[in-house]
Amino acid sequence: MNQIRLVSDLQKSKEYYKHALGCKIDGWGHVERNDPRLGFILYQAENSEDVVPNKKPRQIPYPKNWEGPSTGCDTYAYTDWERMDGLLEQFRADGAIIHYEMKHEDQGDLLWKEFAVRDPDGYVILFGAGTSKQPL
């Protein structure tokens, strides 16, 4: 599955996804990354107002007293717990726009961590991982 992204500057977006996020890009604007798995197709928008990242959703009661999303998000990519810290540092070193830093949550039987990056048009990609709590 590949998500479609309308972008304001196709060449700038292709460079960002390639260099800052470590993706492979072909001449058509297909963006791929294997670890974690991402897939996009970048299209040049006809007008800048056509570029519309998702807004923050309405807060509702969630299980386990979760407050809900703190920001709008366009993609959620899951990866391995052990990989998260290195992935954030890799993105930071490669010039990715860090939308928010690593967050840690205790969800009762599960520990969760996530961070988010943003592309030049404001599309937000969350990266998250969970691990089971080990009994003492």
Side-chain angles (χ1 to χ4, degrees), residues 103-129:
K103 292 181 181 181
H104 293 83
E105 295 180 4
D106 184 337
Q107 297 180 349
D109 56 345
L110 182 72
L111 298 174
W112 189 260
K113 59 184 174 179
E114 70 180 29
F115 68 90
V117 299
R118 187 176 68 244
D119 82 354
D121 286 299
Y123 291 106
V124 175
I125 306 169
L126 271 63
F127 295 88

Side-chain angles (χ1 to χ4, degrees), residues 1-7 17 29-30 39-44 50 52 74-75 123:
M1 176 182 96
N2 288 330
Q3 295 179 339
I4 305 296
R5 292 271 202 273
L6 288 179
V7 296
Y17 279 86
H30 294 92
F40 305 102
I41 301 174
L42 304 176
Y43 287 146
Q44 177 64 52
D50 294 335
V52 186
D74 302 282
T75 303
Y123 291 106

Side-chain angles (χ1 to χ4, degrees), residues 9-27 29-34 38 40 42 90-91 93-97 117-120 125:
D9 183 328
L10 181 59
Q11 189 57 41
K12 181 179 178 181
S13 292
K14 287 166 69 172
E15 292 296 317
Y16 179 81
Y17 279 86
K18 179 179 180 181
H19 297 294
L21 300 183
C23 298
K24 294 180 194 172
I25 314 269
D26 68 11
H30 294 92
V31 176
E32 292 184 351
R33 183 184 168 107
N34 287 328
L38 295 174
F40 305 102
L42 304 176
Q90 174 190 350
F91 288 153
D94 291 342
I97 303 164
V117 299
R118 187 176 68 244
D119 82 354
I125 306 169

Side-chain angles (χ1 to χ4, degrees), residues 34-78:
N34 287 328
D35 188 16
R37 175 80 177 108
L38 295 174
F40 305 102
I41 301 174
L42 304 176
Y43 287 146
Q44 177 64 52
E46 186 74 28
N47 300 297
S48 60
E49 60 268 10
D50 294 335
V51 177
V52 186
N54 287 330
K55 304 290 184 208
K56 181 179 175 181
R58 180 176 63 116
Q59 298 301 101
I60 62 170
Y62 287 98
K64 301 189 182 203
N65 296 321
W66 183 54
E67 294 178 8
S70 60
T71 183
C73 174
D74 302 282
T75 303
Y76 207 115
Y78 298 95

